[in-house]
Amino acid sequence: MELKDKLVSSFMAFENQIDVDTTVHDIRSEAIKVFEEKGFPTKKEEAWKYTSLNSLLKNDFSVFPKEEVALDFKDIKKYFIHDIDSYKIVFIDGVYSSYLSETTHEGMDICLLSAALHKDKYRQVIENYFNKVAKTDDSLTSLNTAFSREGAYIYIPKNKAVDKPVQIIHFATGNEAALMLQPRNLIVVEENAHIQIIERHQSLTENPVLTNSVTEIFADKRAVVDYYKIQNDEQNASLIDNTYISQERESNASVHTFSFGGNITRNNLNFYQKGERIDSILNGVTILGNKQHVDHYTLVHHAEPNCESHQDYKGIFADKATGVFNGKIIVDKKAQKTNAFQQNNNILIDDKASINTKPQLEIFADDVKCSHGCTIGQLDEDALFYLRTRGIPEKEGRALLMYAFANNVLESVKIPEVKSRINKLIAKKLGVNLGFDL
Amino acid sequence: MLTIKNLHASIEDKEILKGINLEVNPGEIHAIMGPNGSGKSTLSSVIAGKEEYEVTDGEIHFEGEDISELAAEERAHKGVFLSFQYPVEIPGVSVTNFIKTAINESRKAQGLEDMPAKDMLQKIREKAELLEIDRRFLSRSLNEGFSGGEKKRNEIFQMAMLEPKLAILDETDSGLDIDALRIVANGVNKLRSKDNAVVVITHYQRLLEYIVPDFVHVLHNGKIVKSGTKELALELEAKGYDWLKQEAAV
Ligand SMILES: Nc1ncnc2c1ncn2[C@@H]1O[C@H](COP(=O)(O)OP(=O)(O)O)[C@@H](O)[C@H]1O
Ligand SMILES: [Mg+2]
């Protein structure tokens, strides 16, 4: 059976299994209809022109894992940022793992979506926020909505600065021959509250995994949200990440996406500005080799005056790796004095590597500053010679230049341990040890 | 120390060096002068190991060993240093991190451990002082947005840190005002010893008042057309290069 049919036919069984109120039930039923009508996106759609899911969808993915698997912390410790104190929300094959997690209900909620979906005390929040910023006509988002059962639920009340970062980690154990996961996160950050979140999807074997994830984030007035996505998965693990961020006035939201591995990774990152003096930051470092593919598909919608957005994506592609950057900026007529910056710079190491990069600007206001630029180049050979005359060998010299190229994105990472982990991952990816952190 | 015999080099099938002979011994200072386009930078790049240039004939020996097939970094590890006429800007790498990496990579090549952080700092401080380099300057991105003079001073700072046996200074004086010139020349002189040697490439006699050469060579059209002592530099200053070009044509 085709994956689409399998998903549609298992929806009823799924829906009967879980106990949710009628609002959520209605949302799900609508969502499965959208998915049934639209199906998986194909290259015929403009938005998926450069990313094909065909080969992925041939796998016979299990939609519900048969049995729960336990993992030993010492075996998976390395996938955590373990040198800092943090809240942790950990899932194994889509199932919440309480012994690996560290949640809280003290003065805020850092816990599970499943709890929020069926406990009465969260009903109001769910009604106000669940599926409210996610795109309801998008087929993959709808597919996730239909099957949304588990994920992180975070609610930070007014004026609360969360004392330590939250790590959301999904493990795929390989217990299934092929596994499809659909995590769903809901994050509500009230007025003047602050939070930092680190997210990672990690397969532990070569077995194919397809994750179709949806994250909704609401940043209220003056809220500060920093989100770090570490994408360094196994060669047979693919990720479709759909992140939707709704921002109220004077809020500041940043998403850093570090893409170093995996099979096919698609990042649909959507920012919706709903008030004045908002800042949205979208940064990315992509370093790929083999036949890895990453597609960054960003949207920033400026709807009110005096707001900013900053996008800075750096890509390094070796072997037969392929990349896509499509950055859409919409500036509504009302959104005067918008400052929207977008930059996408790429280095191609090998002839067979490629990148498709495209800005898409739809500007309806007349008093705006919009700048965008994209470059595709090779490493600067003169710079490399310069380094070599100082005794830095060719391989290390190339790595140093690549580090330098990505450096300004790393500089904006606010958690030092995350920065140093990213530095290490980059060094490992480049096969060098430079002995310092930039 | 450095022995160059009948060196021919070309780029894109265009011959630029057309039979150079040069002998530099420990403790000596050589100046190479010559008009624009005569091949001075090419000669320095070929000695330093730039792969774009093809050595079509001749030999380059350093301390008795043929180095013409060695990679640029291997030559650096043996003690060859080139101060660039146009130092390259490398945004995103600080001067400090760059020099640390350079020193530790050279040590690694010699089978040594990394230099202890404390010693490194001490050395950086000492050499920065010698060249009157401000500490803030060291945390800036390498050469990015540096003035011409700052770039050249930074080249000599790197030389001071790396302590090469043979330093080739390619027009280190261009872009320097008189104070900076004095500081740079003083730095170079402080680093001199009976065991190392310096090749100074320059257009002007000016630098040679501070770094006094034992020999002066004139490069013209890819060949050394005249060699002499420091008086030759004065003669060139007074008469220009035209008389040499005529002499060479005869
Ligand atoms: N990369 C190159 N490609 C082509 N020609 C070059 C290149 N580098 C140098 N040349 C040529 O070689 C000659 C010598 O240049 P150069 O060594 O820079 O001279 P100088 O340093 O004495 O001014 C010039 O004619 C220059 O145009
Ligand atoms: Mg020159």
Side-chain angles (χ1 to χ4, degrees), chain B:
Chain B
M1 177 178 265
L2 178 73
T3 309
I4 296 176
K5 282 187 197 149
N6 189 33
L7 181 66
H8 289 254
S10 38
I11 188 158
E12 291 157 6
D13 292 330
K14 180 178 159 198
E15 183 163 72
I16 296 174
L17 302 183
K18 302 171 178 170
I20 303 243
N21 294 292
L22 183 67
E23 172 92 40
V24 180
N25 294 306
E28 291 176 354
I29 294 186
H30 289 243
I32 297 180
M33 304 182 77
N36 267 334
S38 58
K40 303 182 297 296
S41 292
T42 302
L43 175 62
S44 2
S45 297
V46 170
I47 298 170
K50 189 157 183 160
E51 286 158 2
E52 281 83 345
Y53 295 102
E54 194 194 347
V55 173
T56 52
D57 202 0
E59 290 165 24
I60 308 172
H61 288 261
F62 184 70
E63 298 196 307
E65 183 189 352
D66 184 355
I67 58 164
S68 54
E69 296 293 317
L70 295 185
E73 59 269 29
E74 291 170 313
R75 301 182 198 201
H77 297 158
K78 291 191 181 301
V80 177
F81 179 88
L82 170 60
S83 167
F84 281 57
Q85 181 175 2
Y86 303 109
V88 184
E89 299 195 4
I90 307 187
V93 182
S94 70
V95 175
T96 306
N97 277 336
F98 170 66
I99 201 67
K100 275 187 202 168
T101 309
I103 287 192
N104 283 333
E105 287 297 341
S106 296
R107 291 175 66 95
K108 205 193 285 176
Q110 281 140 29
L112 299 171
E113 294 280 298
D114 281 1
M115 183 182 283
K118 203 171 119 256
D119 299 0
M120 183 76 78
L121 271 179
Q122 169 70 29
K123 185 163 183 176
I124 289 175
R125 198 171 301 146
E126 195 181 293
K127 304 299 181 188
E129 225 162 81
L130 174 67
L131 289 152
E132 299 182 25
I133 288 174
D134 192 83
R135 192 177 299 176
R136 269 168 307 181
F137 182 87
L138 299 172
S139 55
R140 282 171 60 185
S141 275
L142 187 61
N143 292 325
E144 191 188 25
F146 287 16
S147 70
E150 285 171 333
K151 283 181 182 170
K152 297 303 172 71
R153 207 187 287 197
N154 182 36
E155 293 291 283
I156 303 305
F157 166 71
Q158 293 173 36
M159 169 185 156
M161 290 295 297
L162 291 163
E163 299 175 342
K165 291 179 187 156
L166 173 70
I168 303 163
L169 312 183
D170 190 0
E171 298 206 20
T172 300
D173 51 341
S174 59
L176 292 185
D177 60 34
I178 194 73
D179 290 333
L181 186 76
R182 216 177 273 138
I183 293 166
V184 161
N186 179 41
V188 173
N189 287 329
K190 282 253 168 62
L191 298 166
R192 286 196 57 197
S193 81
K194 63 176 179 19
D195 300 319
N196 59 31
V198 184
V199 175
V200 183
I201 292 170
T202 181
H203 267 302
Y204 311 103
Q205 152 68 18
R206 199 175 65 149
L207 179 66
L208 304 179
E209 283 167 18
Y210 298 96
I211 305 174
V212 183
D214 301 298
F215 301 97
V216 175
H217 312 275
V218 183
L219 191 62
H220 174 60
N221 196 17
K223 277 187 189 163
I224 289 177
V225 291
K226 197 169 181 76
S227 294
T229 52
K230 61 174 191 271
E231 286 71 29
L232 178 57
L234 289 169
E235 202 176 343
L236 286 168
E237 182 97 336
K239 294 206 231 163
Y241 291 107
D242 286 348
W243 63 282
L244 276 171
K245 288 183 193 170
Q246 280 153 18
E247 226 170 69
V250 174

Side-chain angles (χ1 to χ4, degrees), chain A residues 240-307:
Chain A
I240 299 158
D241 180 302
N242 308 280
T243 296
Y244 299 91
I245 304 179
S246 172
Q247 287 187 256
E248 298 298 331
R249 74 178 160 85
E250 291 165 57
S251 63
N252 182 315
S254 74
V255 173
H256 284 72
T257 308
F258 298 104
S259 310
F260 303 143
N263 177 13
I264 292 173
T265 305
R266 165 79 173 216
N267 289 300
N268 295 314
L269 182 54
N270 305 278
F271 281 73
Y272 302 94
Q273 297 187 341
K274 309 232 158 120
E276 293 202 31
R277 290 188 296 283
I278 290 171
D279 200 358
S280 305
I281 293 156
L282 300 78
N283 282 340
V285 177
T286 305
I287 305 179
L288 297 182
N290 300 324
K291 286 185 186 164
Q292 293 161 341
H293 177 84
V294 168
D295 183 344
H296 293 294
Y297 202 88
T298 69
L299 165 72
V300 179
H301 190 152
H302 291 275
E304 297 288 334
N306 299 312
C307 292

Side-chain angles (χ1 to χ4, degrees), chain A residues 67 78 127 187 206 268 271 287 293 324 373 388 418 425:
Chain A
E67 59 190 64
K78 64 177 176 188
E127 274 181 15
I187 297 159
E206 301 274 284
N268 295 314
F271 281 73
I287 305 179
H293 177 84
V324 183
R388 294 175 75 182
V418 170
L425 286 174

